[in-house]
Amino acid sequence: MKGYIEERAIEIARYIIDNNTTVRQAAKHFGISKSTVHKDVTERLEKINASLAAETRKVLDVNKSERHIRGGLATKEKYLHMHG
């Protein structure tokens, strides 16, 4: 079972980097929870492949810094459709 989890962590990290996705998008793609994705790419990946973990962290940090913008856009879109 441990080998599967390590492979999954690497696969998720590569997906996040290659597609510049958020934790939510990765979770949806792999059919697992956000918590699992987060634990895989922050804790588990650090022990398996530190350089891949660092690369993934960069993408997630950028996504985190832009999160408030995406939230605002989603809200704007929601109200445009409700009152449009």
Side-chain angles (χ1 to χ4, degrees):
M1 190 57 138
K2 197 163 172 67
Y4 160 74
I5 292 172
E6 290 173 351
E7 283 176 29
R8 182 184 67 199
I10 292 169
E11 194 177 345
I12 291 168
R14 292 201 194 290
Y15 179 78
I16 289 172
I17 294 164
D18 293 345
N19 300 291
N20 195 29
T21 60
T22 63
V23 168
R24 280 177 189 256
Q25 290 166 327
K28 190 174 183 181
H29 177 81
F30 289 95
I32 55 179
S33 73
K34 293 182 310 198
S35 305
T36 303
V37 169
H38 197 266
K39 188 173 182 93
D40 279 357
V41 297
T42 55
E43 295 174 27
R44 295 182 177 125
L45 194 60
E46 191 66 46
K47 295 178 180 89
I48 304 165
N49 185 334
S51 62
L52 187 61
E55 213 177 323
T56 308
R57 166 75 23 221
K58 281 184 206 166
V59 175
L60 294 180
D61 285 347
V62 169
N63 288 341
K64 187 174 182 182
S65 71
E66 295 173 348
R67 159 172 79 185
H68 64 286
I69 297 166
R70 279 192 303 275
L73 291 174
T75 303
K76 181 180 175 185
E77 194 66 28
K78 174 183 168 185
Y79 284 100
L80 283 175
H81 289 299
M82 286 173 59
H83 303 290

